[in-house]
Amino acid sequence: MRFFSRRPSVRVFFATDIHGSETCWRKFLNAGGHYEADVLVLGGDMTGKALVPIVEEGGRWRATLLENRYEFEGEDEVGEFEEAVRRRGYYPFRTTPEELAELEADERKREELFHEKMLGRIERWMRMADERLDGSVRCLVCPGNDDQFEVDEIVRAARRVELAEGRVVEFGDGYQMISTGWSNRTPWDTYREEDEEVLEERLRRMTEELGSPPEKTVYNLHCPPYGSGLDEAPEITPDMRPKDAGRSTVPVGSKAVRRIIEEGQPALSLHGHIHEARGSTRIGRTLCINPGSSYEQGQLLGAVVDLDGGKKVKRFVLTSG
């Protein structure tokens, strides 16, 4: 599928924030062939956010999803519901009223079950990638601030997927990319977040390892640069509710990320983190992209970017499918 008239030096497909969506992961694996990409990059937040119990009682099943209650009579109906839950990025599990009561009363058990389901899905995704990718396209993955650290080890063990976190990756004709899923502080106290000063030190350690010129350098930084328009998120109140029904937005990106981009002027800077802030902008010569996320709808938002070694990236398109 050709978007531009002439073939680039390297074509990159970038997506991010799929949050456990089985449908989005499958689409991501297929994106190399569909978009004729040389490199697939997943920018962070691979794992889902919630368990969904499916309770069996008296030969019938019941479940609640997004405050809607469902009832099922047979295996086929339960299986269809489980598939729908996986498409949205959540973790279904079958249980009884007694077992569910035990889980609700024991936070440690709930965390252990969530951990088991979350890591099990990542393991299955890596097996899927090993089966479907043939080595003709590079697949680079970087967990995000919402992802537990055990995810890194599972990705590192895959044959066809490469862990990009914290290192310089070379591809194409002399291109280099640095990646991190760490962000500045959030209200949710996630796994990979830190103060701006510490984040800036992390970023500088990586940029100091780069050897390619700016026109052949890519930053894959989960957190978008502050005040770029790619970091506009709904403002929240002290009790963690959206202000003005979500109509009031504020920039929440990283000032450290912005400084690093302004100084290094890479050809391309890829971001995510803020699902609503889909778009592109330039900071100096650097093209910055946040493709956004619609993982709950099973829609993979992404960006196809052609790199040709010029001082500015001229050919790119935001995608959805």
Side-chain angles (χ1 to χ4, degrees):
M1 187 173 185
R2 296 193 176 279
F3 289 93
F4 311 110
S5 58
R6 68 185 179 87
R7 183 66 178 152
S9 173
V10 176
R11 175 169 290 172
V12 174
F13 176 79
F14 174 70
T16 184
D17 295 270
I18 63 174
H19 284 287
S21 170
E22 191 94 351
T23 300
C24 287
W25 176 252
R26 292 176 184 271
K27 290 178 178 180
F28 176 73
L29 294 181
N30 291 332
H34 184 72
Y35 295 115
E36 297 184 352
D38 303 294
V39 182
L40 299 175
V41 179
L42 188 66
D45 285 358
M46 301 173 66
T47 54
K49 293 177 177 289
L51 293 165
V52 178
I54 305 172
V55 184
E56 190 274 331
E57 190 171 19
R60 296 175 64 87
W61 299 84
R62 58 180 169 83
T64 300
L65 177 63
L66 301 177
E67 300 182 355
N68 294 315
R69 183 182 171 91
Y70 300 87
E71 294 188 357
F72 316 103
E73 292 189 358
E75 177 67 31
D76 289 346
E77 291 184 5
V78 174
E80 289 177 4
F81 179 76
E82 288 174 323
E83 184 61 29
V85 171
R86 284 190 286 267
R87 282 199 301 270
R88 298 189 74 92
Y90 304 143
Y91 302 110
F93 70 100
R94 302 188 188 194
T95 187
T96 65
E98 295 77 18
E99 291 171 346
L100 184 59
E102 288 183 16
L103 282 172
E104 290 175 340
D106 192 328
E107 183 179 359
R108 181 184 60 81
K109 283 188 176 181
R110 291 198 307 274
E111 290 179 353
E112 288 177 351
L113 180 60
F114 178 80
H115 198 75
E116 172 192 330
K117 296 293 184 182
M118 180 267 294
L119 294 181
R121 183 167 298 177
I122 296 297
E123 288 172 347
R124 191 174 74 254
W125 282 7
M126 294 303 105
R127 291 195 297 270
M128 192 185 303
D130 288 344
E131 293 167 0
R132 296 191 177 193
L133 300 177
D134 60 6
S136 61
V137 57
R138 296 276 297 278
C139 182
L140 304 169
V141 166
C142 182
N145 65 294
D146 277 337
D147 296 321
Q148 297 183 22
F149 294 104
E150 292 89 339
V151 170
D152 299 53
E153 295 307 313
I154 296 173
V155 174
R156 187 178 284 114
R159 291 187 298 108
R160 297 296 189 187
V161 179
E162 301 174 55
L163 181 68
E165 170 64 43
R167 67 190 189 95
V168 176
V169 176
E170 297 185 1
F171 60 87
D173 181 21
Y175 289 92
Q176 290 186 323
M177 182 177 77
I178 58 169
S179 302
T180 190
W182 285 78
S183 78
N184 55 328
R185 294 293 182 187
T186 77
W188 293 277
D189 190 24
T190 57
Y191 298 103
R192 309 179 199 225
E193 60 180 68
E194 55 196 1
D195 294 339
E196 289 277 13
E197 296 80 6
V198 182
L199 179 59
E200 185 166 344
E201 290 175 4
R202 179 184 300 276
L203 299 174
R204 290 194 183 282
R205 285 196 298 269
M206 288 190 291
T207 58
E208 287 170 359
E209 295 179 10
L210 290 166
S212 294
E215 56 268 25
K216 287 200 169 185
T217 299
V218 177
Y219 292 178
N220 170 30
L221 309 177
H222 186 58
C223 189
Y226 181 83
S228 61
L230 307 181
D231 65 328
E232 291 286 329
E235 188 175 6
I236 59 174
T237 61
D239 61 352
M240 306 293 282
R241 296 178 180 274
K243 188 175 181 180
D244 298 330
R247 291 186 295 271
S248 175
T249 62
V250 291
V252 297
S254 166
K255 295 178 180 179
V257 168
R258 181 162 193 128
R259 281 193 293 271
I260 290 294
I261 294 171
E262 289 173 341
E263 293 174 12
Q265 289 291 280
L268 176 65
S269 198
L270 302 170
H271 308 280
H273 195 42
I274 309 303
H275 302 178
E276 308 88 348
R278 175 175 168 88
S280 64
T281 191
R282 287 192 185 272
I283 296 178
R285 294 189 302 272
T286 301
L287 172 65
C288 302
I289 294 176
N290 179 355
S293 175
S294 292
Y295 73 93
E296 287 191 323
Q297 290 73 44
Q299 185 179 27
L300 183 66
L301 303 183
V304 176
V305 184
D306 281 359
L307 302 174
D308 59 10
K311 290 188 178 299
K312 285 187 177 182
V313 175
K314 299 182 179 65
R315 297 189 298 275
F316 72 96
V317 61
L318 296 179
T319 64
S320 63

